[in-house]
């Protein structure tokens, strides 16, 4: 006969699969001699057998249950259903994982009118006996039969003889007689709802309760929860049946819950609450105000001392903080449940590190106990939670947008970049509010504490720039209607005007009216965190076994994406080992540089056309050296270049930008002394640096319409109040060429257009200038004694020939720059792998690249065919909501598609070039699941935002440990 | 000692690698007893040895050469350098492939002053002797020493005693004395240019000539040519040395070239030209007008008869048309060269089919002799080449754009779609000229003979629609400046106005002013082509061995992309076996349907929002069936749907479109009776059906500006000539909502946005309507007795879950439609593979798809990260020009990247579903190289434009044969 039922004394903590978490805990505590009421667990196998048999209890089960009940009777000296010495039972579900939607608890199984009388006689406490019965009817009725609780609560109110205070709980102040009446009424409600009387036979009660627990395993909410969390449906639930102990048996009885350490702070102190003379869920139900656990030392000192000892014992036993339920029956302590205690991340870090010092656990286990993503919460300014709650209650939550860049910011609203800067310079903290941002707004973003936009997704200009700056940002908050002319926005019925206080939470996307206090982060003050990260790094340094190629390899290094020296400094403080991505074009977006950038762009096409003509003629001449017509043409072309205003303007802009970029890079190399710095050449399409086509079109059309109309009516033109026609025409003359330049550069799908390496090959002058700036800066720094490790990265390669041609041209420039300065420095050339084809042909591309850096943002966009800006607010959100996609592929690398390309590229790239340096610089570099993937795929490092470095260090260590574990 | 030199009598035609093409031909002709002057070939190995040794003739080579010369002396009875009986030699290069840039010929090697005298004495012909010497000096000087030809030509002119006719050739009318002077002057020019005298020793002349041939192998042009054509550099060239025979030895001497059949028409007749009393290159140089070969029968009847016999013999021997060089020396015929004759595609087809009937070759060989891409030339209307040449000479070539859709069209220019239709209805042939086209222009495109646009690439609206219609189209012709208001365009200095005649050649991209006659195609009249295609199809039907999976499989079927019944009819005439792609949305673009489509689109979002609300409430109710608030909310939502104007308009539009689409599909099924028809559900983003954002913005801005200004000056508003403010405001009221609708739908990268399956999942009503239309149409046709095979294709799948959800929803609709009509029909559901991720996860996707169709246009765009519209005119052109890309990946499948994805997807898709039907429906389906790839990758069919079907049938047969060949 199959064994379906296990006495607590027959199990142990390793039997979670068979007994469920709760059952295994009770068995373990019984095994190590803690005071657990006698009981047993019906196994998860029984649950599965029940469903396999079409909701029939399997053969032999009930006999085993009743036999176990007999054992409890023997141990307690009470009898199930015997009014003279009634044994009551609690019945609770218990699956391997705690699961919302599962039936929880039925107390006092075994109650019936006869037992009620017996219990009253036995204890002399009519209130106690009545309370037990009404609880049983209510729980059984509600959880087994689905009768709404509200009817029972109503009954209690109606049965109360004395009036209660306003707002009191339904059961407050019920006398024994009230409770008798309540019981009568509850039985009637039950009969009415179910169509038959409450079963009086204890065995029948127990059978229905056990079956109800089983049935709840396939209840709708439980099934949905498992589907969502990908928990298999065939785990089944156990049923725990235990002798009742009574925390409601008078003044020396109590019931409570407690953590062995403070789950909020991690402090090593008991933390919990209890109620005197209460039962079951009363503590957490909030019906009475419980007392802090320390008070128990005063109320019941012996029981408290025993409890303290048990807590210590359990913590040592489980090597972790425990969350306990206990009951004290007339001074005697019982432990009813133990499980690992949930805690805040602050507490988790402190507890893990403390436990290492207490020799409870080893450092690796401490590192693995922290969810890396939570580290974020330690390192960001955040709003005081209480203040936030209050703001919501006061109706100050104005809307919720995309949580584009985490952190909390508070300040006064401003609606344009110039005001933002002026006010910031005057010492005010401002939040910049814009419909969306453009490069023209960057100086305002620099000045602001936080950025709020109405439009744009997680890769909108505002979002990307804000994340780069580590500045809180909420984008796409469509509920706010901005009137930039009035300098105000409306949300709901409320207006927020320039100068009004405003608070944004970039971690959640919430926008609040009014100011709110923030709590700033400070790594140095978090000594436990610092200690844990040192353990993590030590792990990554040690070689561990790889899953993919079997070769021993160290864990991932963590590098940072940093565009400015100030970002690099922050990253260094957080412990990076290199810069994985410096986006040179972000330097172009700064306000003082934009005019130069415009000058460069607006003259580039014409200048390049002339250069190309010279080149073509020179080539012709090589073929026909004697042909006088070719010689003439070459001279002609050269003269055109020399005389061209466009060429002059283009070259002047490049020369000025060379000086600026050289300065930027020098400082970056200085900060990163001794560490590698990957600098990416210009990537975005040039039109991103110019005003938007639509804005220009609108302005030009308005001007033209006005001019035309005023020409027909010159009399108005002279009237006061109208701008002069000359002004209009001057404006038009400025804007029209710009419009046609922007039009000429317009692209249908700019993401797949003239950018990256394509731009560099079309306008070599720009990238040559950048390479020269990098090399000259490196030489200058090397001369000062700094150790520079520049790595020049070419974006968007799709074909090896693109890289070959670019690299030859740029290496030539690099060598020339280095030779002219006479300081021998080393450098690397490499490429981003962000176009699917580059991953598919990585073996070829590695011939021309000393390093690969996966740009997983673009790689994900192109592999899925998703334009992130377009997708995220629209179908992607729907896909995530409906479960078509389990995860957002822009947050966590899609292993089956994008990940497959990455693994192919790493393998085939290294086949071509053994020492190929491989990393990732997309936003995934800061995502723990993606970091795990990167480790398994054999990458050398992940590069992420400076503010994600701590997360990444921890995740990298866990990934390395994961590999070791699998190899055991 | 290595053998470097082969007498002609020692070789044969199989020795092309060692002797080069020319040498092998001479040896073969010698072997089969044709009259070839004695001679020998220096092997290609000698050439390679020469370069390996640092440009030194290898050991033993020269001795072998001189020994072979001795053999020639013996055979001819002449002596090299002997004035009494001088042997002169011709020296010619000859590599395996004929190659521009290689040195060609030096005649008369062995001439010097003594031989000159001897020759004159011997022949008594001072003119002949002098002509031989001056030819030698000029050829040796020019080709061996690089002296410009112009100096020598000048010398001849100056030496001519008598005046020549204007425009005469330099050597015309030179007397013996003139030639003596010319020789003197040429020797002086040589000495001046080279710095030393012309070598007089014949052996030295020969050595320098042989080395010059070798050296030309690594000449710049030859190297470039090989690089471009991917010919290995280590093939080397042979050197052919042969006794001179003299076509310039008096009136019974002649020289000429001839084809064994007419290379223009394929007619079985000798075709060629000759000159009496001439030497070498005179025939092709155009210095004298040669006579047609037939005339030789009169001039030298015996030699002609012998030549006819030799032609027949060589054709039988080589089993192909030969291109011969011959010389007749005093009545005696010599053959100097034979090679396979180049021919037009018309000739190629006729010759191949004729030769099968003549039992010269077997049908497979005939099929393989035709370049499939050339078939196009047979099946398109084209311009009369002579007329075209004349137009160019007259300066009527106005510009060249992209050859977007092949064929020639002529008509009068119109500048708007309405006029196009009106004029066409009035019987005029029109060419529609637009800056670019939109859906609003489709009726005009239907009416026009051809389409010309200033903007847009090969996938612009104009190009795609025109190709679909099989209508000639030139896009992106930027040289024409269109003034749509004036209804005219300017190109160069010329204006073309409405009604002016215009001709466009969509095959070449040329645009001509004026009308030009076109030659229409007619398959039925091309009986040889029809016969050859039958052989081709027979090949594809037979199973052949696959390269990839080793399983026997038949060749590719050819299906067509056809959106309308009329396309399907054309495709059927061309012999397709199915429709591989019917783009339903193209039906939406038709003028009478656009208003309905607009109505559908403009109400879709609001209606869907309401439907979604109902669905959400219904779901809630399932969870909380007793909750009265949920019940209320559901009733509320239902009421909102019922009362919504948007829902009413949306559903009315869908109902009307259902009727229209059902009709379209019925006709399509009727035409394709018995063959599969793949219908793709809506793919493009909805905003493509609406007016352009920029146009709307411009119009709205102008209206607003006017209204604002006129409000401030009401007096003007009342003046004559100004449109009334009321009119303006009415217009604004119409346009503003449209503008904001288009704005709301705007996407940054529409190619990667809300389209394809994403659209279907967001607006299920549209795709459900389409599926219902397909199934109802199929049922109606089945009821009429037609055999229908509908296959429903879902575009743009990237994740299996998208397809799973879509398919479940749509199959439900399909079953409902079929059940309601009660006609049991079969259907398939499948998907396009056009997103890289779908190829990477094809094994999963095949679970939900009964067929795959590779959309290689989009797959190429996303794999390369190229937006074709943006790339083609810009960096892609540059990439092709500079050789970064060897081929345009939009024309020929990129095997390394895109092709790798396709092969993965086919393999893994079939692993999941053995009988998965796999085809391709991108434009690559009509490209021979891509068809070969598709065959190797194991596809079942290629689907292409109806007008590419013939090309594809031939290419498919050749691909299948190629496989067989490899397996031999």
């Amino acid at each position: 006969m199959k064994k379906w039922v296990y006495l607590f004394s027959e199990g142990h903590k390793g039997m979670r699969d068979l007994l469920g978490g709760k059952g295994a805990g009770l068995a373990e505590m019984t095994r190590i001699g803690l005071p657990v009421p006698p009981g047993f667990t019906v196994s998860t196998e029984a649950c599965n057998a029940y469903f396999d048999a079409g909701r029939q209890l399997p053969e032999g089960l009930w006999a085993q249950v009743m036999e176990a009940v007999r054992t409890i009777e023997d141990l307690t000296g009470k009898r199930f259903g015997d009014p003279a010495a009634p044994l009551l039972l609690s019945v609770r579900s218990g699956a391997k994982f705690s699961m919302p939607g599962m039936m929880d608890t039925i107390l006092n199984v075994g109650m019936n009118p006869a037992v009620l009388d017996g219990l009253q006689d036995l204890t002399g406490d009519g209130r106690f006996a009545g309370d037990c019965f009404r609880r049983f009817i209510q729980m059984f009725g509600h959880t087994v039969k689905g009768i709404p609780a509200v009817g029972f609560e109503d009954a209690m109110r109606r049965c109360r003889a004395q009036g209660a205070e306003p707002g009191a709980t339904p059961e407050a102040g019920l006398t024994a007689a009230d409770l008798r009446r309540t019981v009568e009424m509850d039985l009637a409600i039950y009969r009415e709802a179910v169509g038959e009387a409450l079963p009086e036979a204890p065995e029948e009660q127990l059978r229905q309760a056990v079956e109800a627990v089983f049935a709840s395993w396939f209840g709708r909410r439980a099934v949905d929860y498992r589907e969502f969390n990908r928990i298999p449906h065939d785990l089944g639930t156990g049923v725990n049946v235990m002798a009742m102990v009574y925390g409601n048996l008078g003044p020396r009885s109590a019931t409570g819950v407690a953590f062995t350490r403070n789950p909020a702070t991690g402090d090593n102190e008991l933390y919990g609450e209890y109620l005197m003379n209460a039962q079951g869920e009363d503590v957490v139900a909030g019906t009475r105000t419980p007392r802090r656990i320390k008070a128990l030392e005063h109320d019941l000192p012996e029981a408290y001392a025993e409890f303290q000892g048990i807590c210590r014992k359990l913590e040592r036993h489980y090597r972790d903080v425990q969350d306990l339920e206990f009951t004290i029956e007339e001074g005697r302590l019982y432990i009813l449940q133990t499980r690992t205690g949930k805690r805040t991340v602050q507490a988790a870090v402190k507890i893990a590190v403390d436990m290492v010092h207490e020799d409870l656990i080893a450092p690796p286990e401490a590192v693995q106990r922290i969810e890396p993503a939570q580290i974020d919460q330690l390192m960001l300014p955040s709003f005081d939670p209480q203040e936030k709650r209050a703001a919501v209650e006061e109706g100050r939550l104005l809307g919720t947008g995309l949580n584009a860049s985490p952190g909390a910011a508070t300040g006064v609203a401003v609606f344009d970049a110039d005001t933002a800067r002026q006010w910031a310079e005057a010492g005010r903290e401002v939040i910049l509010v814009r419909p969306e941002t453009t490069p023209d707004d960057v100086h305002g973003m620099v000045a602001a504490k936080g950025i709020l936009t109405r439009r744009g997704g997680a890769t909108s200009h505002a979002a990307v720039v804000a994340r780069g700056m580590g500045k809180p940002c909420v984008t796409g908050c469509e509920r706010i209607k901005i009137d930039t002319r009035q300098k105000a926005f409306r949300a709901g019925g409320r207006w927020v005007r320039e100068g009004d206080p405003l608070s944004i939470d970039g971690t959640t996307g919430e926008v609040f009216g009014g100011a709110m206090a923030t709590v700033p982060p400070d790594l140095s003050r978090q000594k436990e965190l610092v200690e844990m990260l040192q353990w993590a790094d030590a792990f990554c340094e040690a070689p561990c076994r790889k899953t993919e190629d079997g070769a021993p390899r160290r864990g991932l290094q963590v590098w940072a994406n940093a565009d400015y020296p100030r970002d690099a400094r922050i990253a260094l403080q957080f412990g990076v080992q290199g810069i994985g991505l410096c986006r040179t074009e972000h330097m172009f977006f700064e306000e003082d540089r934009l005019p130069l950038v415009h000058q460069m762009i607006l003259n580039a096409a014409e200048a390049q056309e002339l250069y190309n003509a010279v080149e073509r003629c020179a080539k012709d001449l090589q073929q026909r050296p004697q042909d006088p017509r070719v010689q003439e043409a070459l001279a002609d072309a050269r003269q055109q270049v020399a005389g061209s205003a466009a060429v002059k303007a283009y070259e002047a802009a490049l020369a000025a930008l060379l000086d600026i970029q050289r300065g930027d890079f020098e400082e970056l190399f200085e900060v990163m002394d001794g560490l590698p710095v990957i600098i990416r050449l210009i990537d975005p399409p040039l039109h991103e640096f110019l005003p938007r086509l639509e804005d220009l079109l609108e302005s030009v059309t308005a001007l033209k319409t006005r001019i035309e109309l005023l020409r027909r009516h010159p009399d108005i033109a002279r009237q006061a109040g109208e701008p002069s026609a000359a002004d209009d025409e001057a404006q038009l003359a400025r804007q029209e060429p710009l419009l046609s330049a922007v039009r000429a550069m317009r692209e249908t799908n700019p993401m797949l257009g003239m950018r990256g390496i394509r731009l560099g090959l079309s306008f070599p002058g720009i990238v040559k200038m950048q390479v020269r700036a990098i090399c000259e800066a490196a030489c200058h720094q090397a001369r000062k004694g700094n150790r520079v490790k520049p790595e020049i990265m070419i974006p968007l390669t799709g074909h090896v020939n693109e890289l070959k041609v670019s690299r030859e041209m740029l290496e030539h420039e690099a060598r020339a720059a280095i030779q002219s300065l006479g300081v021998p420095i080393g450098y690397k050339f490499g490429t981003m792998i962000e176009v699917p084809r580059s991953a598919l042909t990585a073996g070829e591309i590695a011939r021309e690249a000393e390093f690969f850096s996966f740009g997983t943002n673009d790689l994900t966009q192109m592999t899925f065919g998703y334009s992130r800006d377009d997708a995220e607010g629209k179908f992607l959100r729907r896909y995530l909501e409906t479960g078509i996609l389990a995860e957002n592929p822009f947050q966590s690398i899609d292993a089956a598609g994008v990940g497959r390309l990455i693994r192919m590229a790493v393998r085939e790239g290294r086949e071509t070039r053994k020492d190929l340096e491989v990393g990732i610089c997309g936003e995934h570099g800061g995502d723990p699941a993606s970091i795990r993937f990167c480790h398994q795929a054999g990458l050398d490092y992940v590069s992420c935002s400076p503010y994600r470095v701590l997360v990444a260090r921890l995740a990298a260590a866990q990934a390395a440990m994961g590999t070791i574990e699998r190899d055991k």
Side-chain angles (χ1 to χ4, degrees), chain A residues 565-830:
Chain A
R566 60 175 178 273
D567 300 336
R569 278 193 200 95
I570 294 169
L572 262 190
Q573 280 170 21
F574 289 162
V576 292
Q577 296 175 271
I579 298 297
L581 176 63
C582 166
R583 283 160 290 211
T584 48
E585 67 271 9
H586 280 197
M587 298 169 170
F588 289 175
F589 278 127
E590 298 205 357
E591 196 205 16
D592 53 335
R593 302 166 182 195
L594 260 182
L596 283 171
V597 173
H598 285 184
Q599 181 179 328
M600 173 181 83
I601 294 171
L602 294 175
N603 293 291
E606 195 180 332
Q608 195 57 47
E609 196 56 53
L610 293 172
Y611 296 143
N612 290 349
V614 170
E615 207 177 300
R616 267 195 307 274
C617 290
K619 249 194 197 153
D620 279 359
L621 198 63
Q622 274 190 309
Q623 302 239 356
R624 293 178 287 160
Q626 268 101 359
D627 193 330
R629 283 164 307 177
V630 182
Q631 286 170 338
E632 251 170 62
L634 179 60
D636 222 53
R638 284 197 175 125
Q639 206 173 351
Q640 274 200 40
V641 166
S644 155
V647 169
K648 280 201 192 83
Y650 183 56
E651 291 183 351
L654 286 177
L657 286 168
L658 172 65
D659 288 340
I660 291 173
Q661 292 233 299
R662 191 197 303 112
D664 291 328
F665 297 142
E666 271 206 61
E667 204 182 333
L668 198 59
F669 291 137
E670 192 171 8
V671 172
M672 296 304 294
D673 179 27
L675 296 174
V677 176
I678 297 186
I679 297 173
R680 181 179 73 183
L681 304 181
I682 188 167
D683 181 44
L686 293 181
H687 54 68
E688 279 198 13
F689 299 97
L690 299 178
R692 288 190 340 139
L693 175 62
E694 282 174 42
D695 295 343
L696 281 169
L697 183 64
E698 215 169 332
S699 174
V700 164
T701 306
L703 286 168
K704 277 184 169 170
T705 310
R706 278 180 55 83
I707 289 169
E708 205 176 296
L709 202 67
L710 293 179
R711 266 205 203 120
R712 283 203 297 279
H713 303 282
D715 42 323
I716 316 178
R718 283 186 296 271
Q719 284 180 23
E722 289 301 330
S724 83
D727 275 5
D728 279 353
E729 285 182 24
Q731 265 201 57
L732 186 61
R734 270 199 309 277
Q735 291 186 4
E736 260 197 319
L738 200 56
L739 174 60
S740 58
V742 173
R743 263 215 169 112
M745 285 186 212
R746 177 188 42 168
E747 294 179 307
T748 316
N749 297 287
M751 216 190 64
L752 309 180
M754 176 68 103
R755 48 176 286 237
I757 193 168
R758 304 162 193 172
L759 195 60
L761 285 167
S762 300
F763 302 104
I766 300 176
V767 283
K768 277 155 105 175
M769 175 277 284
Q770 293 194 303
V771 167
R772 182 165 283 272
I774 293 166
C775 291
E776 289 182 358
C779 288
H780 289 169
Q781 281 301 314
R783 194 176 276 156
K784 288 188 192 162
N786 283 318
R787 293 156 301 157
V788 289
K789 295 189 173 174
E791 306 194 6
I792 297 166
M793 180 155 74
I794 299 175
L796 213 72
T797 299
H799 194 291
V800 62
N801 288 351
E802 286 175 298
L803 193 58
K804 187 164 185 282
V805 173
S806 291
R807 185 184 169 163
E808 275 165 15
M809 169 179 87
L810 295 174
E811 282 227 57
H812 183 266
E813 192 73 19
R815 279 191 301 267
I818 293 166
Q819 267 176 10
S820 75
L821 289 176
V823 190
I825 56 153
Y827 57 84
K828 285 185 183 175
F829 265 95

Side-chain angles (χ1 to χ4, degrees), chain A residues 295-310:
Chain A
L296 191 62
E297 190 166 10
H298 170 262
D299 286 346
L300 294 167
E302 279 167 38
Y304 181 73
E306 187 185 355
F307 184 66
Q308 268 190 315
I310 286 171

Side-chain angles (χ1 to χ4, degrees), chain A residues 247 252-256 274-278 296 300 326-329:
Chain A
R252 296 197 55 244
S253 297
T255 189
Y274 69 99
L275 280 171
M276 297 300 291
N277 198 9
L296 191 62
L300 294 167
F326 65 93
T327 284
I328 301 167
E329 181 184 308

Side-chain angles (χ1 to χ4, degrees), chain A residues 28 94 101 104 111 242 264 278 330 353 381 532 585 678 683 714 769 781 795 801 850 914 920 929 937:
Chain A
E28 184 70 11
D104 192 26
M111 281 302 292
M242 180 159 58
E330 297 192 311
V353 173
M532 174 168 290
E585 67 271 9
I678 297 186
D683 181 44
M769 175 277 284
Q781 281 301 314
N801 288 351
E850 286 155 283
K914 240 185 163 168
I920 177 182

Side-chain angles (χ1 to χ4, degrees), chain A residues 891-931:
Chain A
Q891 278 164 14
S892 210
I893 285 178
D894 157 54
V898 178
R900 186 172 185 185
L901 286 176
I902 293 174
R903 287 194 308 266
M904 281 169 63
V906 172
R907 190 174 56 240
E908 294 172 18
R910 289 226 177 95
E911 274 167 20
T912 299
R913 189 187 287 265
K914 240 185 163 168
D915 61 346
L916 186 75
E917 173 187 291
V918 184
I920 177 182
C921 67
E923 286 186 53
H924 298 93
D927 167 64
S930 305
I931 291 171

Side-chain angles (χ1 to χ4, degrees), chain A residues 464-477:
Chain A
V464 170
V465 174
R467 274 199 298 274
M469 296 175 175
K471 221 161 255 218
C473 176
V474 173
T475 62
C477 184

